[in-house]
Amino acid sequence: MKTICKFLSIACLLALLACSEQDAQPVENTTLYLRNKGADMPIWVRGNTQSKKIVLYLHGGPGDCSMCYRYYLKGIESEAMVAYWDQRVAGASSGKVKESTLRYAQFNEDMQYVVKLLRQRYPNTQVYLLAHSFGVELAWQFLTTGNNQQLIAGLMVVNGIYSFSNWIINVHDWALREARRQGNAEAESYLSAHPVPPENAATSDWEAVYRWMYKLGGNPVSLYDDGKYIINYAFNSPNTALAQFTHGKAYSYYGNVESRLFEKGALLQNVTIPVGLFWGVKDGVVPLGVGQATKQLLTRTRVTEVLFNESWHEPFVTETDKFRQAVVNFIR
Amino acid sequence: VTPFNVFKTLLMKTLLIIFGLLLLSLLSLRAQSLRVSYYGETITHYGLKAAYEWPVWSYTKQRNQAQKKLLFAPGLAVYRHPHNHIGLVFSPELTYRRTSRRGGIFEAGIAPAYFRYFLEGTTFEVNDSGELTRVPLAGGNAFLPTVSIGFGKDLSIRRQLPLSWYTRLNLMQQRPYNTSALIRFSLEAGVNIPLKKP
């Protein structure tokens, strides 16, 4: 009986302690979902709420993932909230999605609602965009539509394009230069015989140029080389482990038709919000030449340029600390 | 809709129910057991699974005393993938199990499972007027055909414990998933408790 009384007393004490009022958490750890046109898209919001700043990460691909890069981006969370949004079909997005919705216009609509949701959930908070690769295409499209710039405090561009033509010309130039530097006669011969003139860029065989670029070391970094990353990704994160390998074919229309028509160059002069150009200098996927051309077109805004000399396409993977600092400096 | 069609539907339903009841009563005459296990979708997304086993057919080989069984085992698994979803898997399994003379178990099974999941997060849907409205218990349904392979040990044979332990790997295909299908896998590890003697 005595033992039971003791046990009950301890249990009551613990229960009372558990009921004590807790301070509001300064760290956000919320999962939101946006349901639109058949897709359930997760938006994981993590980080410092007191900063009143959200960095919305726009992942690449199309078909890459957002939360899977938290491993490298979480250093930013001490300074701001980071919203990791998995685009439709990509990452841990689920639902029953028609392939015909994988279009720029639909991605733009989804992004409109993601920004709207974040602004509703976090009033009086500034939203910044951190866009990587394909995410940059979404960012330019979003910011050059209507009054969307009023919703965004700033854009950080990481190795992404504003124009298909400009991109493939730069990839071709990069590959030819590397072929000559490395003494790769076969590559040099192919690339010289298949130039990409601006007037034919949109109809060029971009995949052949792209393959040579990869063979010449345009982006040797693979996340899958890091065992610790893989274990965290597959077993200890909100990512859906095998989802990355389910949807490759779904983007064929994007690759064959829509991406070739992507051209926002003339509209960049309308961008007035601050822009940061963060570039992996060694990248062949989206070479530095694209970044330089982007800067020239941004005539009506303040442009901050940060170069990552030891990086390829994902500078946040190869120079994580420097990248974190660049983001923090930009949003301060 | 004609009266004949209504009658035909009713007759089919009644026959199905009678067939089901007959099967259950036949099965209930045989030894039954309960399987309870840890259920880990992608191993670490933790959950529980319970299944009730009815032998449909059994045979003991005289030469080595190995017992072979075909089991019908409807089961329910619940698991959580933190910050992603909570999943419910209802799987009417058909399992082949071989228990050796020393108690070693090998089993393989198939199941046309039903998958129901609830998104773990606050879900907002875009309505017709472009506003965001909250959706309670948002999630989805899917077909989840499953194949399984496992092994274990019947402890009643050598240790006189009326129990067997087992572990099995399930390979599943969630359909539909986005524009196509998704492969999932899960690990089960648990015990099999006999409930009724043959």
Side-chain angles (χ1 to χ4, degrees):
Chain A
M1 190 64 189
K2 213 174 172 181
T3 318
I4 293 171
C5 282
K6 260 187 196 171
F7 176 75
L8 283 174
S9 306
I10 292 167
C12 286
L13 189 67
L14 285 172
L16 282 171
L17 285 172
C19 290
S20 66
E21 199 175 308
Q22 290 189 347
D23 293 336
Q25 288 296 307
V27 177
E28 185 67 333
N29 184 13
T30 295
T31 304
L32 304 169
Y33 276 90
L34 175 70
R35 176 174 282 184
N36 190 26
K37 304 264 172 71
D40 289 326
M41 296 167 276
I43 306 151
W44 294 281
V45 186
R46 302 285 186 271
N48 182 344
T49 52
Q50 289 165 338
S51 65
K52 293 285 176 191
K53 288 171 182 166
I54 296 180
V55 175
L56 171 59
Y57 179 64
L58 305 175
H59 68 70
D64 203 349
C65 43
S66 186
M67 193 53 160
C68 56
Y69 290 107
R70 185 179 184 235
Y71 190 78
Y72 301 102
L73 298 174
K74 66 182 169 193
I76 302 165
E77 292 171 15
S78 59
E79 297 293 325
M81 286 182 277
V82 182
Y84 302 91
W85 164 44
D86 275 350
Q87 297 151 19
R88 59 177 51 238
V89 174
S93 275
S94 56
K96 189 179 174 185
V97 180
K98 287 181 184 162
E99 223 171 279
S100 59
T101 63
L102 299 175
R103 304 286 185 269
Y104 280 123
Q106 186 57 56
F107 285 117
N108 198 34
E109 184 187 294
D110 292 342
M111 189 173 160
Q112 295 265 0
Y113 288 118
V114 170
V115 172
K116 185 175 181 175
L117 178 56
L118 290 173
R119 286 171 60 88
Q120 272 182 15
R121 293 279 297 188
Y122 304 96
N124 307 317
T125 300
Q126 291 180 307
V127 179
Y128 290 84
L129 303 178
L130 175 59
H132 173 238
S133 198
F134 173 72
V136 175
E137 292 162 51
L138 298 193
W140 290 135
Q141 182 178 239
F142 180 80
L143 293 172
T144 54
T145 304
N147 296 323
N148 285 347
Q149 284 188 71
Q150 291 171 6
L151 307 173
I152 303 298
L155 164 68
M156 289 160 275
V157 170
V158 187
N159 292 66
I161 72 170
Y162 66 86
S163 153
F164 179 89
S165 302
N166 169 272
W167 168 69
I168 194 62
I169 291 166
N170 270 285
V171 175
H172 186 274
D173 289 353
W174 184 94
L176 190 56
R177 200 167 52 244
E178 274 301 305
R180 284 173 182 153
R181 194 182 67 81
Q182 294 176 22
N184 187 326
E186 191 189 352
E188 188 182 347
S189 159
Y190 178 87
L191 293 163
S192 301
H194 298 84
V196 183
E199 60 276 17
N200 295 338
T203 53
S204 63
D205 181 10
W206 70 267
E207 284 172 318
V209 177
Y210 198 78
R211 273 196 295 274
W212 275 117
M213 175 276 296
Y214 253 97
K215 280 182 190 170
L216 293 161
N219 186 25
V221 179
S222 170
L223 297 177
Y224 302 113
D225 292 340
D226 184 348
K228 202 174 155 194
Y229 169 84
I230 294 286
I231 289 168
N232 180 68
Y233 169 78
F235 301 113
N236 192 30
S237 78
N239 300 297
T240 305
L242 299 173
Q244 285 301 99
F245 311 104
T246 63
H247 50 248
K249 288 179 186 167
Y251 295 102
S252 54
Y253 183 84
Y254 164 81
N256 297 330
V257 182
E258 216 179 22
S259 66
R260 290 171 180 269
L261 306 171
F262 187 76
E263 179 55 67
K264 298 290 172 194
L267 299 173
L268 293 201
Q269 61 175 326
N270 301 331
V271 174
T272 53
I273 61 166
V275 175
L277 294 174
F278 301 169
W279 228 273
V281 171
K282 298 185 194 174
D283 190 16
V285 179
V286 183
L288 184 60
V290 175
Q292 288 161 344
T294 308
K295 191 179 178 184
Q296 282 177 5
L297 293 168
L298 292 166
T299 52
R300 291 178 57 204
T301 186
R302 177 171 57 87
V303 178
T304 312
E305 200 174 11
V306 184
L307 298 180
F308 297 86
N309 294 317
E310 299 307 316
S311 294
W312 289 267
H313 194 53
E314 288 112 3
F316 40 84
V317 172
T318 36
E319 290 177 79
T320 307
D321 291 340
K322 186 179 174 183
F323 189 86
R324 176 199 169 274
Q325 199 53 53
V327 173
V328 169
N329 291 344
F330 184 83
I331 62 173
R332 258 181 196 155
Chain B
V1 182
T2 62
F4 176 71
N5 280 343
V6 174
F7 172 74
K8 208 167 76 173
T9 315
L10 270 175
L11 184 70
M12 284 301 288
K13 278 185 180 170
T14 315
L15 282 175
L16 265 175
I17 291 167
I18 291 170
F19 177 75
L21 287 172
L22 195 71
L23 186 70
L24 278 179
S25 57
L26 280 173
L27 291 173
S28 68
L29 296 175
R30 294 165 179 265
Q32 294 155 27
S33 57
L34 181 71
R35 243 170 37 203
V36 184
S37 68
Y38 167 80
Y39 184 87
E41 195 269 342
T42 322
I43 303 170
T44 49
H45 306 147
Y46 55 89
L48 281 173
K49 181 173 178 179
Y52 200 84
E53 292 186 341
W54 279 285
V56 178
W57 169 85
S58 68
Y59 168 74
T60 306
K61 214 171 184 178
Q62 292 304 315
R63 188 170 54 85
N64 55 11
Q65 293 298 300
Q67 194 181 49
K68 293 172 180 180
K69 276 183 184 170
L70 198 61
L71 301 150
F72 174 60
L76 181 70
V78 184
Y79 71 89
R80 178 177 180 238
H81 181 177
H83 304 289
N84 190 312
H85 70 275
I86 290 168
L88 288 168
V89 183
F90 173 69
S91 50
E93 297 166 12
L94 198 62
T95 302
Y96 164 80
R97 180 179 296 150
R98 182 186 183 279
T99 309
S100 74
R101 188 164 51 90
R102 292 180 177 181
I105 293 171
F106 166 79
E107 61 182 30
I110 52 166
Y114 161 72
F115 179 46
R116 168 76 203 175
Y117 62 93
F118 299 93
L119 299 171
E120 196 183 287
T122 316
T123 303
F124 293 87
E125 186 169 25
V126 180
N127 65 20
D128 293 340
S129 55
E131 294 304 312
L132 296 165
T133 52
R134 197 169 168 170
V135 187
L137 295 172
N141 305 288
F143 181 46
L144 197 75
T146 304
V147 290
S148 315
I149 193 160
F151 63 89
K153 187 96 177 171
D154 185 344
L155 303 176
S156 69
I157 291 176
R158 289 206 147 183
R159 299 190 184 186
Q160 311 298 316
L161 270 171
L163 200 71
S164 53
W165 65 261
Y166 79 99
T167 182
R168 59 154 52 179
L169 185 72
N170 304 309
L171 198 63
M172 308 165 282
Q173 190 189 54
Q174 183 183 335
R175 186 170 279 276
Y177 180 81
N178 285 330
T179 58
S180 55
L182 172 70
I183 297 289
R184 293 184 182 274
F185 63 95
S186 65
L187 184 81
E188 280 178 51
V191 290
N192 197 325
I193 308 154
L195 298 176
K196 193 174 173 183
K197 296 267 181 203

